[in-house]
Amino acid sequence: MKYPNGTKLTGLGLNLILEDTELLTEDGSYGEDEWLYHWTTPEGRSFLTTDIELAGYLADGATLV
């Protein structure tokens, strides 16, 4: 799922801001869409998650704002 840039991921010790979303699914693929999320920390460090990792964080109690 594509979230708007600036979305915040918090909880579980995370404090991340979404900078970009990249669709990984190739054209013509019949599989489910796969996403790569590019986040930054308040200190300016990069942090990457896949849609599956993000779903795991959310299931464990993290929130998107």
Side-chain angles (χ1 to χ4, degrees):
M1 172 177 258
K2 185 167 181 161
Y3 297 100
N5 292 352
T7 299
K8 294 182 181 182
L9 177 62
T10 59
L12 305 175
L14 300 169
N15 185 15
L16 305 171
I17 301 168
L18 185 62
E19 294 294 322
D20 194 20
T21 305
E22 180 179 352
L23 180 63
L24 297 177
T25 307
E26 294 184 25
D27 287 339
S29 172
Y30 294 103
E32 190 173 328
D33 285 345
E34 296 178 30
W35 298 90
L36 181 64
Y37 300 100
H38 300 258
W39 307 87
T40 58
T41 66
E43 299 81 23
R45 289 189 227 137
S46 295
F47 190 89
L48 299 174
T49 63
T50 63
D51 57 327
I52 294 169
E53 292 169 324
L54 178 57
Y57 288 135
L58 296 173
D60 288 342
T63 58
L64 291 172
V65 183

